[in-house]
């Protein structure tokens, strides 16, 4: 067993958590922001003043309680994905909202340092520059100790007006990610397109679309150490792996194992056993990171099993695989893909 796998054999790291249980005052600040955009005569709102006790109450009985109950140890935690709302075009508003959201996550990490590490929201806007995103990424990593970021490939919210992820438009952000040695989870926000439901269509469409964009280009030839995590099990990709292998061959691209899979990883936010079985069989243990997105899109209990849909550890426990592979999925891969997290845990 490798040293990293050995160190991680008893550790369980969830790489995909969102602050969906944030105190209501934070959303009230957002509502005030949007109200002022609609009526500029209104005063500019300030971020909510939220007490430590309110943050503890929002975490101890929800995210942390469930993490412990399900046998988890640590979670990479970021602002609520649907709440990023990058479709709002005002750059100042986006910057202030991202900063307030990231500062709130940082306070969670400070209050519960043994269980959470931060991943940041970027202040993206449709067609806007990435200058503010680079600045906020650097602030969160260098000053707040965050270990990753969420990158929205479609700030328009379901209308796909941005260039593909292989376009030079994104290169300033990639350069910062590489320089800081942090990965990005490719995660869209709320859908503004009534034809694409946010949770059931837009999220999974984006996962699949992002993978195809990467397949078409040669981004990792330019940025060989850039790393992406595609959530929700990779959308439709594992189920159609033969299609993507065939398209790569048709387009003259190298095999996927060489072209993408040194840099692209999938998480386990797949909410049934058959889906996890397929993900493991097709993608393999080296490119899978354990995650649940608990208190996220799919809450409640599956009537067929009697267990919570998002108790993804249960599905991993049922997989027939070696202890080495299990350690990779549950923690080792996370520590490899998020090296700042590995250093944090080592300390």
């Amino acid at each position: 067993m490798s040293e990293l796998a050995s160190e991680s054999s008893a550790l369980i790291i969830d790489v995909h958590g969102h602050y969906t249980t944030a105190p209501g005052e934070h959303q009230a600040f957002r509502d005030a922001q949007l109200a002022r955009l609609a009526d500029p005569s209104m005063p500019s709102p300030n971020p909510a003043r939220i007490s430590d006790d309110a943050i503890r109450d929002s975490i101890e009985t929800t995210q942390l309680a469930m993490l412990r109950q399900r046998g988890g140890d640590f979670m990479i935690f970021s602002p609520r994905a649907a709440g990023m709302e990058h479709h709002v075009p005002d750059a100042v508003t986006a910057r202030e909202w991202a900063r307030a959201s990231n500062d709130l996550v940082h306070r969670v990490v400070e209050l519960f340092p043994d269980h959470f590490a931060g991943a940041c929201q970027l202040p993206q806007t449709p067609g806007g520059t990435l200058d503010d995103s680079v600045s906020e990424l650097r602030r969160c990593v260098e000053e707040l100790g965050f270990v990753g970021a969420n990158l929205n490939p479609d700030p328009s919210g379901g209308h796909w007006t941005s260039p593909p992820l292989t376009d030079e438009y994104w290169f300033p952000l990639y350069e910062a990610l590489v320089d800081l040695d942090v990965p990005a989870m490719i995660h869209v926000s709320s859908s503004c397109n009534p034809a694409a439901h946010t949770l059931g269509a837009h999220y999974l469409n984006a996962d699949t679309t992002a993978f195809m964009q990467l397949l078409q280009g040669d981004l990792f030839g330019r940025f060989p150490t850039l790393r992406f995590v595609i959530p929700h099990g990779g959308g439709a990709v594992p189920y159609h792996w033969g299609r993507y292998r065939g398209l790569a061959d048709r387009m003259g691209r190298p095999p996927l194992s060489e072209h993408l899979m040194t840099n692209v990883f999938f998480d386990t936010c797949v909410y049934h056993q058959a889906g996890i079985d397929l993900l493991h069989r097709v993608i393999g243990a080296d490119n899978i990171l354990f995650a649940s997105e608990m208190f996220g899109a799919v809450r409640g209990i599956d009537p067929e099993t009697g267990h919570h849909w998002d108790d993804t550890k249960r599905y991993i426990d049922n997989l027939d695989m070696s202890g080495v592979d299990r350690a990779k999925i549950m923690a080792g891969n996370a520590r490899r893909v998020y090296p700042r997290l590995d250093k944090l845990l080592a300390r």
Side-chain angles (χ1 to χ4, degrees):
M1 182 181 293
S2 69
E3 182 179 349
L4 187 58
S6 178
E7 290 177 357
S8 305
S9 59
L11 189 65
I12 297 176
I13 301 171
D14 187 332
V15 303
H16 191 169
H18 297 299
Y19 200 178
T20 55
T21 58
E25 296 93 327
H26 185 57
Q27 183 60 46
F29 166 60
R30 179 58 169 175
D31 294 342
Q33 277 192 317
L34 298 179
R36 186 174 186 273
L37 287 177
D39 181 3
S41 68
M42 298 180 67
S44 179
N46 294 316
R49 300 179 64 180
I50 301 173
S51 69
D52 286 353
D53 285 343
I55 293 175
R56 289 190 186 97
D57 289 344
S58 73
I59 291 293
E60 288 179 334
T61 61
T62 56
Q63 307 277 0
L64 183 55
M66 196 64 73
L67 184 70
R68 288 168 167 164
Q69 179 182 326
R70 295 176 181 176
D73 298 297
F74 208 86
M75 179 181 287
I76 298 177
F77 206 51
S78 64
R80 186 170 70 95
M84 296 188 297
E85 295 184 320
H86 292 134
H87 61 273
V88 177
D90 186 72
V92 173
T93 300
R95 185 168 62 244
E96 293 176 350
W97 177 233
R99 188 179 185 97
S101 299
N102 292 328
D103 285 348
L104 194 59
V105 166
H106 178 55
R107 291 182 63 192
V108 172
V109 173
E110 286 189 308
L111 290 170
F112 302 98
D114 293 335
H115 298 286
F116 295 97
C120 65
Q121 170 182 329
L122 300 176
Q124 298 176 243
T125 55
T129 73
L130 293 173
D131 293 347
D132 286 343
S133 292
V134 171
S135 296
E136 182 64 7
L137 173 67
R138 289 194 174 278
R139 182 185 80 92
C140 288
V141 174
E142 295 175 335
E143 299 179 22
L144 305 185
F146 282 27
V147 301
N150 290 338
L151 168 61
N152 187 348
D154 174 34
S156 72
H159 295 288
W160 291 93
T161 58
S162 293
L165 289 170
T166 52
D167 190 88
E168 292 184 2
Y169 167 79
W170 301 99
F171 285 8
L173 183 61
Y174 298 161
E175 290 167 356
L177 289 167
V178 169
D179 180 52
L180 295 167
D181 200 17
V182 294
M185 177 174 282
I186 297 176
H187 206 309
V188 288
S189 187
S190 53
S191 173
C192 300
N193 185 342
H197 185 275
T198 295
L199 305 176
H202 185 43
Y203 280 15
L204 303 183
N205 293 346
D207 303 334
T208 309
T209 298
F211 186 86
M212 186 62 205
Q213 289 178 358
L214 297 174
L215 186 156
Q216 289 177 272
D218 185 25
L219 184 63
F220 303 120
R222 169 89 180 233
F223 298 100
T225 60
L226 181 65
R227 300 178 301 280
F228 289 135
V229 178
I230 301 182
H232 319 117
V237 174
Y239 187 70
H240 287 287
W241 194 244
R243 174 179 289 260
Y244 294 108
R245 289 180 59 237
L247 286 171
D249 182 67
R250 181 177 177 179
M251 295 177 180
R253 297 300 183 195
L256 295 180
S257 59
E258 302 172 15
H259 187 44
L260 300 181
M261 301 310 286
T262 300
N263 307 81
V264 176
F265 305 85
F266 299 157
D267 79 10
T268 64
C269 292
V270 178
Y271 300 132
H272 67 138
Q273 188 66 53
I276 290 290
D277 293 347
L278 181 136
L279 177 67
H280 175 245
R281 186 169 64 250
V282 173
I283 300 303
D286 288 340
N287 289 80
I288 299 174
L289 282 66
F290 174 70
S292 68
E293 203 178 10
M294 63 174 68
F295 288 94
V298 185
R299 309 183 191 187
I301 294 176
D302 182 348
E304 294 183 5
T305 67
H307 301 295
H308 286 267
W309 301 97
D310 57 10
D311 185 2
T312 51
K313 178 179 177 295
R314 182 178 298 277
Y315 308 136
I316 306 301
D317 289 343
N318 289 333
L319 288 176
D320 181 15
M321 60 181 168
S322 69
V324 172
D325 283 352
R326 191 175 304 278
K328 289 178 182 179
I329 292 174
M330 301 311 285
N333 290 341
R335 299 181 73 159
R336 176 166 57 92
V337 175
Y338 291 82
R340 287 180 179 265
L341 172 64
D342 182 55
K343 293 176 182 177
L344 184 69
L345 292 172
R347 289 197 300 269

